Amino acid sequence: MTKITPEHLARGAFVYVRQSTADQLLHNHESRRRQYGLADRARQLGWQEIVVIDDDLGRSGSGVSRPGFERLLAAICEGRAGAVFAIDFPLGAQRPGLAHADRVGTIITDEDGI
């Protein structure tokens, strides 16, 4: 039995791509490739609408504005996100918007599962 329902699939899948430093952008291509690959995983699981948010590439998590993460939180809070795909969330589960995801019926998934 899958945790993915028709209601999840009727909303978008949001793929959050982030590497926090310029050094990671220059030298860690595999991580970025894996993150973008989550869009293919969303397609395999049945999503038609897939939004890739990569606005925060090269932005540190400490004291720096992250417009991509804010867009992601807005999509969750507005009920537009059926699922969020990411390898590593910035301060992940502690963020209020991600904690809210379960209450609005958004599933959180990574390479390993839902």
Side-chain angles (χ1 to χ4, degrees), residues 49-62:
E49 180 189 351
I50 300 166
V51 178
V52 176
I53 298 176
D54 58 4
D55 310 8
D56 298 343
L57 286 171
R59 291 179 184 258
S60 168
S62 59

Side-chain angles (χ1 to χ4, degrees), residues 80-99:
R80 294 183 287 121
V84 173
F85 289 77
I87 289 179
D88 186 29
F89 286 107
L91 302 177
Q94 295 90 10
R95 293 264 181 190
L98 291 180

Side-chain angles (χ1 to χ4, degrees), residues 3 8 11 76 81-82 84 96-108 114:
K3 295 178 182 181
H8 292 120
R11 295 185 275 160
I76 292 169
V84 173
L98 291 180
H100 183 65
D102 187 49
R103 286 177 266 183
V104 295
T106 299
I107 55 177
I108 306 293
I114 298 169

Side-chain angles (χ1 to χ4, degrees), residues 66-78:
R66 285 180 291 191
F69 194 73
E70 296 304 319
R71 282 181 47 213
L72 177 63
L73 291 180
I76 292 169
C77 293
E78 293 167 2

